[in-house]
């Protein structure tokens, strides 16, 4: 009985010692008669503590029931490594809503700006998905499909059981409708978008030329010249673009020219597209033609001065500044309202087309000489509103003034 009581006191003392604050050391009771847990007849106590190195230590006291000796077996356990949490799989977000006809928002504006930059859309980005934007999207898709076809090997051909030749069909990546789906928008806004397909030069025609001209016009190098035919005016516009953008001037739209042209780095034309500015002075009955000056950055070089006849007081020549409506007419113009009356080298000025530059009058088409009365009237008001000129002066103006040239008619 005394032995058991002594053993209990020893165990209690051991427990108190184990859980004293700051005691992180293991309790070692060395005895020559320590038994392993499997050999012990009675398990009397188990306690746990943490060591300085973060390990978990089990302090177990065994008592064999026959001896007053007790022993503590130290068991050190490694802290088990935490089970890693599974990596979450990214969830697929909803597919963006396609841009379609009738939509009007900032996404449409961004798309339109890109279409303008790539030459597929004329005008300004207004954010309205209308007929012009639909056509531009269709053109851009056709361009991407053509690029895709060009990147593939030549389609193979086989013979079917009837002996007919069968060509492998190519599945194009983009539909031909005017909707801008997510796939198309990704390709359109991709910085790796390839602007170039082939070199273009005089004599070429088609959609690629039209796209080239559209971009040239948007940057101020071409005026009313989007017709799909690569002629002299397009070649001149390309040369001007090349000069402005530090490229070799050739008039040919090669890969370097097109890469620059269809990019946000392309520079606008820094000078007017028109060589001349025409002023009609009614009080003086004179026409003045000024040429652009690079030094003055303005039309200051007077190159021609012509005597003229403007409208009478009852049929005055309308004053104003005209530009968009200035265009060449016929080399022989018939004034039906005035009977057998003809004039040469007509240039329309106002929106009605009724006010023109033209030569003095002829009684018939292909006549050898103008009427003497119209020639004598030069220098004073005599017309029904048009601006009459001597034949040679009318011819010079006709051959040198291009559509869109500014004409100012002042008192």
């Amino acid at each position: 009985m005394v032995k058991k009581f002594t053993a209990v006191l020893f165990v209690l003392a051991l427990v108190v010692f184990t859980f004293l604050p700051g005691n992180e050391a293991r309790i070692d009771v060395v005895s020559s008669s320590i038994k392993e847990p499997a050999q012990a007849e009675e398990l009397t106590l188990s306690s746990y503590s943490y060591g300085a190195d973060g390990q978990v230590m089990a302090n177990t006291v065994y008592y064999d029931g026959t001896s007053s000796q007790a022993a503590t077996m130290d068991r050190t356990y490694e802290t088990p490594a935490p089970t890693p949490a599974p990596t979450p799989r990214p969830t697929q977000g909803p597919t963006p809503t396609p841009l379609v006809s009738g939509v009007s928002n900032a996404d449409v504006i961004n798309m339109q700006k890109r279409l303008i930059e790539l030459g597929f859309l004329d005008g300004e980005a207004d954010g309205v998905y209308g007929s012009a934007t639909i056509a531009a999207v269709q053109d851009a898709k056709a361009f991407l499909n053509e690029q895709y076809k060009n990147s593939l090997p030549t389609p193979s051909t086989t013979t079917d059981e009837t002996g007919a030749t069968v060509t492998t069909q190519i599945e194009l990546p983009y539909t031909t409708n005017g909707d801008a789906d997510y796939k198309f928008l990704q390709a359109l806004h991709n910085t790796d978008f390839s602007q170039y397909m082939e070199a273009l030069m005089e004599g070429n025609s088609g959609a690629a030329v039209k796209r080239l001209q559209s971009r040239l016009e948007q940057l101020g190098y071409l005026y009313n010249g989007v017709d799909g035919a690569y002629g002299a005016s397009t070649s001149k516009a390309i040369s001007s673009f090349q000069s402005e953008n530090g490229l070799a001037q050739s008039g040919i739209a090669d890969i370097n020219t097109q890469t620059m042209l269809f990019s946000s780095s392309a520079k606008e034309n820094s000078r007017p597209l028109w060589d001349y500015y025409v002023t009609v002075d009614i009080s003086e009955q004179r026409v003045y033609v000024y040429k652009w000056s690079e030094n003055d950055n303005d039309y200051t070089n007077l190159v021609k001065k012509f005597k003229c006849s403007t409208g009478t007081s009852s049929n005055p020549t309308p004053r104003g500044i005209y530009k968009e409506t200035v265009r060449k007419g016929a080399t022989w113009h018939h004034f039906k309202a005035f009977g057998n009356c003809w004039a040469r080298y007509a240039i329309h000025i106002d929106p009605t087309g009724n006010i023109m530059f033209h030569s003095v009058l002829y009684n018939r088409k292909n006549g050898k000489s103008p009427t003497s009365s119209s020639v004598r009237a030069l220098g004073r008001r005599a017309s029904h509103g048009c601006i009459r000129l001597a034949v040679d002066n009318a011819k010079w103006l006709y051959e040198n003034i291009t559509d869109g040239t500014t004409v100012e008619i002042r008192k």
Side-chain angles (χ1 to χ4, degrees):
M1 183 66 180
V2 174
K3 290 181 179 180
K4 289 186 177 181
F5 180 73
T6 303
V8 170
L9 289 177
F10 178 80
V11 170
L12 291 173
L14 181 60
V15 171
V16 172
F17 179 75
T18 301
F19 291 98
L20 281 176
N23 182 13
E24 296 177 351
R26 295 177 300 174
I27 303 173
D28 296 321
V29 179
V30 182
S31 172
S32 60
S33 60
I34 294 177
K35 296 183 179 180
E36 290 293 329
Q39 299 171 331
E41 297 178 4
E42 183 179 354
L43 177 62
T44 59
L45 176 65
S46 292
S47 64
Y48 298 87
S49 62
Y50 289 90
D53 56 0
Q55 293 179 326
V56 178
M57 296 179 293
N59 304 315
T60 307
V61 178
Y62 296 92
Y63 177 65
D64 61 8
T66 60
S67 170
S68 61
Q69 294 178 334
T72 298
M73 299 295 296
D74 289 350
R75 302 297 176 90
T76 302
Y77 300 91
E78 293 289 341
T79 303
T83 302
T87 303
R89 294 183 179 180
T91 57
Q92 180 90 31
T95 302
T97 303
L99 300 178
V100 295
S101 177
V103 173
S104 179
N105 56 30
D107 291 334
V108 176
I109 292 177
N110 290 334
M111 180 184 72
Q112 290 174 329
K113 287 180 178 178
R114 182 63 169 153
L115 289 169
I116 291 170
E117 183 178 284
L118 294 172
F120 296 112
L121 181 64
D122 297 327
E124 300 294 327
D126 57 8
V128 178
Y129 206 123
S131 58
T133 301
I134 291 172
V137 169
Q138 291 173 327
D139 289 344
K141 285 183 175 182
F143 178 83
L144 290 168
N145 283 336
E146 190 67 25
Q147 278 191 329
Y148 176 76
K149 287 194 295 185
N150 292 342
S151 69
L152 299 176
T154 304
S156 60
T157 58
T158 57
T159 304
D160 62 14
E161 61 275 6
T162 65
T165 301
V166 179
T167 303
T168 304
Q169 297 297 314
I170 299 174
E171 184 177 350
L172 299 176
Y174 301 98
T175 61
T176 56
N177 62 30
D179 296 344
D181 57 19
Y182 180 63
K183 180 181 179 181
F184 169 73
L185 290 173
Q186 274 192 315
L188 187 71
H189 292 292
N190 195 330
T191 55
D192 293 332
F193 188 101
S194 178
Q195 303 95 333
Y196 178 79
M197 191 177 294
E198 61 179 338
L200 299 171
M201 61 194 75
E202 281 198 58
N204 292 148
S205 61
V209 174
K210 187 176 180 181
R211 172 175 169 249
L212 187 83
Q213 292 170 331
S214 177
R215 181 60 170 161
L216 287 168
E217 186 167 287
Q218 193 263 336
L219 293 172
Y221 294 94
L222 195 63
Y223 178 77
N224 282 351
V226 183
D227 57 6
Y230 202 125
S233 60
T234 301
S235 179
K236 180 181 177 182
I238 284 292
S239 292
S240 297
F241 174 81
Q242 290 168 332
S243 175
E244 190 78 29
N245 288 269
L247 301 171
Q249 289 183 255
S250 63
I252 297 173
D254 55 18
I255 184 170
N256 291 332
T257 301
Q258 291 189 47
T259 300
M260 176 62 75
L261 181 65
F262 299 117
S263 75
S264 58
S265 301
K267 295 180 181 178
E268 294 184 358
N269 197 352
S270 63
R271 56 159 295 167
L273 192 57
W274 299 270
D275 292 329
Y276 301 103
Y277 185 101
V278 182
T279 300
V280 179
D281 193 308
I282 295 175
S283 62
E284 296 181 7
Q285 292 294 292
R286 294 291 185 273
V287 173
Y288 299 94
V289 182
Y290 297 91
K291 190 175 178 63
W292 179 262
S293 169
E294 296 290 350
N295 294 330
D296 298 334
N297 200 35
D298 198 0
Y299 293 99
T300 56
N301 294 333
L302 179 63
V303 293
K304 293 291 181 179
K305 180 181 177 180
F306 304 138
K307 186 185 293 186
C308 69
S309 289
T310 63
T312 62
S313 56
S314 57
N315 295 290
T317 301
R319 289 175 290 173
I321 297 177
Y322 305 93
K323 180 178 175 69
E324 301 294 334
T325 56
V326 175
R327 65 193 188 282
K328 290 183 181 180
T331 54
W332 280 95
H333 183 86
H334 185 202
F335 295 97
K336 296 179 181 179
F338 307 111
N340 244 351
C341 185
W342 293 80
R344 303 198 66 184
Y345 309 115
I347 300 175
H348 300 278
I349 300 173
D350 74 334
T352 68
N354 294 326
I355 305 301
M356 296 171 276
F357 288 112
H358 61 72
S359 73
V360 288
L361 304 178
Y362 288 79
N363 287 325
R364 64 180 181 273
K365 185 178 181 180
N366 299 322
K368 292 184 178 180
S369 302
T371 63
S372 57
S373 59
S374 64
V375 173
R376 290 195 304 270
L378 288 173
R380 65 179 187 269
R381 300 183 184 192
S383 77
H384 287 83
C386 290
I387 300 146
R388 298 177 188 171
L389 299 166
V391 175
D392 288 345
N393 295 338
K395 182 181 179 183
W396 186 94
L397 207 61
Y398 190 87
E399 292 176 344
N400 288 276
I401 298 303
T402 56
D403 292 355
T405 295
T406 301
V407 174
E408 179 184 358
I409 301 176
R410 67 191 184 199
K411 187 175 180 180

